[in-house]
Amino acid sequence: MSVPLHFQSIAELSEHLAARRISSVELTQAVIARTKAVESRVHAFNSFDEPDALAQAVASDSRRAGGQSCGALDGIPIGLKDVIAVSGQPLTASSKMLANFVSPYNATVTESLQSAGAVLHGRLNCDEFAMGSSTENSAFGPAHNPWDLTRTPGGSSGGSAAALAAGAAIATLGSDTGGSIRQPAALCGLVGLKPTYGLISRFGLIAYASSLDQIGPFARTVEDAAIVLGAIAGHDPRDSTSFKTEIPDYRAELKRRRGPWKLGIPKEYFGAGLDPEVGAAVEKAIAFYRAHGCEIREVSLPHTHYCLDAYYVIATAEASSNLARYDGIRYGHRSKEAKDVLDVYQKSRAEGFGDEVKRRIILGTYVLSSGYYDAYYLRAQKVRTLIRRDFLNAYREVDALITPTSPLPAFKLGEKSADPLAMYLCDIYTIGVNLAGLPALSLPCGFTAGGLPIGLQLIGQPFREADLLATAHAYEQAHDWHTKFPSL
Ligand code: GLN
């Protein structure tokens, strides 16, 4: 085995496990050892439970020894973004507000992974309450990009991306409200999938903006992403927004769906602000699809220009409402300085939340306030409908869209933290997808001359993840970007 265990894919490792070439305990120990070797430099984890991880691995090995049928995830170490509840484990959302909070219950995705036999070994760093694009808003300090430790892994699921890229997990979960899975996947050279809104239960996910949030996998390969998606997708009566739809065998479908596809290039996604090296890599990927027999068409998404504005009205409005529950009474941090009830609210929130979270609560409260609701929130919702219509119109002509994931490769830590607008622009190609509720994934499509990964975004049609994954798989099969690992 030339590639170390901690850098192998789920598909490879599950074969080793099935053939008894390795045990889950050996694999988990290898991942733990790797985590210990890199974590002081990468800071991907908020918490890590070694004894608990090893106990899960032991259980996996004994299941296998007992001849119980084991799926591809049985015994595989998977990390969760620290906004996904695991019963009995810390759950902080990278906020001082929840610094000492222990989750009393499991998220539905947690239960799904546990019943698939995965070893859930740690909770991963992110921007506070998933608000940000660099993990610099984490109250516990930023995560670092394994490809260049002076740079951000992206955000908000930066720890999920950094851990996987560094070999400190075999796959991870993140959440994506405006790009938080796809952008860090792009910046760290990984596959990151944001599923259709409603495909995956949000029960047990700490809410940021409920009409946009969606959980999804980070993986080394498209096949691995298909495996994890298959384990967590499906209707959940505990989430009224989760959808009743048939879940195909995503992994098997990769081989069945071969195209050629009609692919659209939204012209609005290739304008000013796109880094030339990123643009060139995406153009090459488009040329690949053309050579693969796909029909490539330019399409227009005319309301793209309004995506950021609509997003920052809707997301902040929902955030201000969702975060009202952190009042110092029922959850999390309570100020020691408080003298009366009002004081408890005010001081606990003032001490518990970081600057970006406060900024968004204030913005969101403003756009929802009487007299401004119609002018901002209602109007943003109307714009959102137009944005969704743009995509659905494009899908009358094409099967999927190709764009860059992020306008820039990984930027330096500190470079944008003083300028919220510059940070918000990182999401320019990803947030339309959330507003429209569509599935999209990022996959590696090259490196800059300086050795930083570049991501390609494929945007699909609602609940057609199987086609989206197959389209990505066709590209991945013909390239070897996913076989490169950072030297840490
Ligand atoms: N960067 C965007 C924001 O700050 C998206 C975050 C996310 O997807 N969770 O809101």
Side-chain angles (χ1 to χ4, degrees), residues 43-302:
H43 191 24
F45 287 84
N46 284 345
S47 60
F48 192 91
D49 191 335
E50 185 175 339
D52 184 56
L54 286 171
Q56 295 173 65
V58 168
S60 168
D61 286 336
S62 56
R63 264 194 307 275
R64 205 177 293 275
Q68 285 178 37
S69 71
C70 304
L73 290 180
D74 205 339
I76 303 285
I78 295 186
L80 305 183
K81 184 178 183 178
D82 199 5
V83 289
I84 297 172
V86 181
S87 182
Q89 294 290 351
L91 178 65
T92 73
S94 291
S95 179
K96 270 192 217 153
M97 187 55 96
L98 291 174
N100 300 311
F101 185 73
V102 173
S103 176
Y105 65 91
N106 277 323
T108 297
V109 294
T110 304
E111 282 174 1
S112 304
L113 289 178
Q114 284 170 343
S115 49
V119 172
L120 304 180
H121 64 315
R123 278 132 313 267
L124 298 157
N125 198 359
C126 55
D127 285 295
E128 184 176 4
F129 286 101
M131 298 175 191
S133 307
S134 67
T135 69
E136 289 166 294
N137 297 332
S138 168
F140 311 130
H144 296 254
N145 191 316
W147 294 91
D148 176 347
L149 295 168
T150 67
R151 292 175 190 269
T152 174
S156 66
S157 316
S160 302
L164 182 57
I170 305 302
T172 57
L173 293 188
S175 65
D176 190 315
T177 306
S180 279
I181 293 174
R182 291 159 287 156
Q183 183 254 19
L187 271 45
C188 290
L190 302 166
V191 176
L193 171 67
K194 181 258 171 217
T196 308
Y197 185 79
L199 185 68
I200 297 185
S201 170
R202 290 180 297 109
F203 180 80
L205 167 70
I206 292 183
Y208 160 18
S210 310
S211 77
L212 300 160
D213 298 341
Q214 200 54 196
I215 294 171
F218 284 88
R220 298 208 161 100
T221 64
V222 173
E223 183 177 24
D224 280 9
I227 292 170
V228 179
L229 181 69
I232 60 175
H235 178 251
D236 176 12
R238 294 182 294 187
D239 173 2
S240 61
T241 63
S242 86
F243 206 75
K244 285 201 174 106
T245 178
E246 205 166 310
I247 306 301
D249 181 342
Y250 295 111
R251 187 183 190 183
E253 291 301 318
L254 289 179
K255 300 195 177 79
R256 285 193 207 121
R257 304 182 192 214
R258 297 178 162 276
W261 302 276
K262 279 192 206 158
L263 301 173
I265 314 296
K267 62 176 186 217
E268 291 82 2
Y269 282 57
F270 289 81
L274 176 59
D275 176 271
E277 285 185 280
V278 174
V282 173
E283 291 296 344
K284 269 200 183 161
I286 294 169
F288 160 80
Y289 279 111
R290 192 176 280 120
H292 188 71
C294 297
E295 183 183 327
I296 309 286
R297 275 200 204 170
E298 186 179 274
V299 296
S300 175
L301 304 171

Side-chain angles (χ1 to χ4, degrees), residues 312-318 320 360-378 380:
Y312 277 97
V313 171
I314 294 168
T316 58
E318 294 183 13
S320 77
R360 296 192 187 201
I361 291 174
I362 292 168
L363 250 171
T365 306
Y366 177 77
V367 300
L368 287 177
S369 59
S370 83
Y372 295 102
Y373 181 91
D374 289 2
Y376 293 107
Y377 186 70
L378 201 63

